[in-house]
Amino acid sequence: SFLNTKVASYLTKSFNSTLNLTVDDVRKLPIPPSEVSPVPKYYEQLLSLARTDWDAYERSWDFKTCPLLEAIPNLTTLESSYSKWIKQIHKDILTMKEFEEENNRLFIDVYGLKDEITDDVPIEEITLTMNPFYRYGKDYNEEEKWLRFKRDTIAELLSYATGCMMGRY
């Protein structure tokens, strides 16, 4: 939890201004004692969201099926499946954003850095592959990101279908 906060980033930059972060740099971090350090009650949910996101793509060892197919209620249309999946993606991104901001708040309070760091996490920093704002960077506007995401999702479905036909799954 601590290493995924703005506090950890702020502290590592204060004693190592380069891009090179070593194990020794991490060891130098002043980690609060366990009786003071908050353990977020939602860390299991954060891990679950990240794992679900990772497993939704063929590069994962635990990939089972294309998420677009999982979203199809009673095998209706591909369009309705995509709409349902996009609603779930929006929900997951906002949940992850909320949890990451709360995580920042907890450690900002512990370290007394309210005047130095904000707890805000921009949507572009929510590191989920299903998040087009993170996935495609700043080169596109919002509409273009979602359009590209839709095209990539269809390409992933075709890749999955081809894999099924060739005996990969």
Side-chain angles (χ1 to χ4, degrees):
S1 280
F2 172 67
L3 291 176
N4 289 320
T5 64
K6 287 186 170 186
V7 173
S9 178
Y10 176 82
L11 292 173
T12 55
K13 286 177 188 171
S14 69
F15 58 82
N16 181 357
S17 60
T18 68
L19 293 175
N20 183 26
L21 186 65
T22 66
V23 173
D24 286 335
D25 294 330
V26 175
R27 284 184 186 149
K28 290 178 189 175
L29 289 172
I31 298 174
S34 58
E35 62 271 1
V36 178
S37 180
V39 176
K41 57 184 177 280
Y42 46 79
Y43 80 94
E44 294 274 342
Q45 289 173 279
L46 276 170
L47 289 174
S48 176
L49 276 173
R51 192 173 295 115
T52 299
D53 176 63
W54 178 255
D55 291 343
Y57 297 92
E58 289 183 272
R59 65 182 171 261
S60 168
W61 285 98
D62 294 323
F63 174 78
K64 302 237 184 319
T65 186
C66 181
L68 201 52
L69 296 177
E70 286 182 340
I72 294 178
N74 300 323
L75 299 174
T76 58
T77 67
L78 196 55
E79 183 179 2
S80 66
S81 173
Y82 182 77
S83 295
K84 182 178 178 187
W85 190 50
I86 289 299
K87 287 177 188 171
Q88 184 61 45
I89 286 173
H90 282 291
K91 182 180 166 219
D92 290 348
I93 292 169
L94 291 177
T95 300
M96 185 69 92
K97 180 176 174 27
E98 177 186 321
F99 287 159
E100 286 191 21
E101 287 175 346
E102 179 60 25
N103 197 40
N104 280 334
R105 265 190 297 282
L106 288 170
F107 285 98
I108 287 170
D109 288 345
V110 167
Y111 284 88
L113 294 171
K114 287 180 185 176
D115 297 334
E116 303 288 326
I117 307 171
T118 66
D119 60 3
D120 184 50
V121 178
I123 196 83
E124 296 85 16
E125 292 180 14
I126 305 300
T127 56
L128 297 173
T129 305
M130 68 173 83
N131 178 5
F133 297 93
Y134 166 73
R135 188 173 179 175
Y136 303 120
K138 298 180 187 213
D139 295 339
Y140 303 96
N141 65 36
E142 183 176 351
E143 184 179 330
E144 291 169 331
K145 288 177 187 180
W146 283 109
L147 182 60
R148 184 167 176 200
F149 184 80
K150 189 174 194 176
R151 281 186 286 211
D152 287 351
T153 300
I154 298 303
E156 290 157 6
L157 174 65
L158 292 173
S159 172
Y160 175 70
T162 303
C164 288
M165 288 184 267
M166 299 294 186
R168 184 173 30 169
Y169 301 108

